[in-house]
């Protein structure tokens, strides 16, 4: 799990994690020409955020993959930042982690990626980008926390790693 700085997060994160994984991604992205085809090929899971029932179906699909040993990348903000600061985290990924007893690997993407290509502009501005991988949170280290407590804990770790707030 990490913060969502830019459209280019999806290219930076795989360069930082040497293990195979898929992501959970907004369902409308799957309709984009070429991009939709590419993320389907990668095996990403579409999530329809406007429908709780459909979102839960996506979480169930992700649970099956996690239980088979495949890692899932989640950017819990659900949207790219519009300010460069970390936004509110959605709870679906934390329910997923608790339901599957999965470890959580926090990562922080520096504001350099936001400055490279932010949500308000198509202009690319070369920047140094840093992705910092934190220590894994084992299931045993968070199993007694509520989803709200876990969300707050992971958000704090990711903000520390990203130095965004």
């Amino acid at each position: 799990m990490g913060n969502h700085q830019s459209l280019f997060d999806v290219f930076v994160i795989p360069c930082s994690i040497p293990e195979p994984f898929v992501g959970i991604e907004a369902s409308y992205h799957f309709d984009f020409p070429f991009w939709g085809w590419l993320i389907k090929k990668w095996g990403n899971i579409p999530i329809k955020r406007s429908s709780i029932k459909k979102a839960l179906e996506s979480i169930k699909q992700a649970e099956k993959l996690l239980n088979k040993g495949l890692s899932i990348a989640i950017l819990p903000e659900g949207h790219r930042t519009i300010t460069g600061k970390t936004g509110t985290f959605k709870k679906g990924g934390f329910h997923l982690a608790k339901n599957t007893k999965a470890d959580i690997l926090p990562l922080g993407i520096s504001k350099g990626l936001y400055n490279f290509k932010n949500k308000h502009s198509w202009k690319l501005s070369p920047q140094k980008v840093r992705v910092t991988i934190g220590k894994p949170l084992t299931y045993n280290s968070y199993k007694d926390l509520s989803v709200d407590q876990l969300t707050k804990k992971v958000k704090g770790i990711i903000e520390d790693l990203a130095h965004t707030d």
Side-chain angles (χ1 to χ4, degrees):
M1 292 187 184
N3 57 321
H4 200 353
Q5 287 285 306
S6 169
L7 181 68
F8 289 91
D9 293 348
V10 297
F11 301 106
V12 171
I13 294 169
C15 294
S16 305
I17 300 175
E19 300 295 325
F21 63 89
V22 298
I24 297 178
E25 189 155 349
S27 60
Y28 70 90
H29 291 181
F30 289 76
D31 297 330
F32 295 161
F34 184 70
W35 182 251
W37 173 83
L38 185 63
I39 59 179
K40 284 176 196 166
K41 286 286 190 191
W42 285 344
N44 285 3
I45 301 164
I47 188 162
K48 187 166 184 135
R49 297 182 289 221
S50 62
S51 166
I52 291 176
K53 182 181 176 189
K54 294 273 187 191
L56 289 173
E57 289 172 11
S58 297
I59 296 295
K60 291 292 180 195
Q61 183 181 352
E63 285 179 5
K64 289 177 187 174
L65 292 176
L66 269 173
N67 287 328
K68 289 181 180 178
L70 184 62
S71 294
I72 308 283
I74 297 175
L75 304 176
E77 291 167 276
H79 299 279
R80 288 173 280 157
T81 179
I82 57 172
T83 64
K85 294 186 177 190
T86 307
T88 303
F89 277 18
K90 298 178 183 305
K91 296 178 186 168
F94 300 98
H95 284 286
L96 173 64
K98 286 192 72 108
N99 291 350
T100 58
K101 300 179 181 175
D103 295 342
I104 298 172
L105 181 66
L107 64 92
I109 302 171
S110 71
K111 196 171 179 180
L113 200 54
Y114 170 78
N115 292 331
F116 173 71
K117 164 55 182 101
N118 70 53
K119 194 170 183 173
H120 301 294
S121 172
W122 283 101
K123 179 183 175 191
L124 301 179
S125 302
Q127 303 283 320
K128 288 185 179 182
V129 176
R130 184 184 69 247
V131 178
T132 306
I133 308 294
K135 293 179 182 174
L137 277 78
T138 63
Y139 173 71
N140 284 334
S141 73
Y142 72 78
K143 69 181 180 184
D144 295 327
L145 298 179
S146 69
V147 168
D148 287 338
Q149 290 170 324
L150 179 59
T151 302
K152 184 176 180 179
K153 178 181 180 94
V154 172
K155 184 176 187 217
I157 293 168
I158 289 171
E159 286 175 338
D160 288 345
L161 293 169
H163 303 290
T164 59
D165 286 332

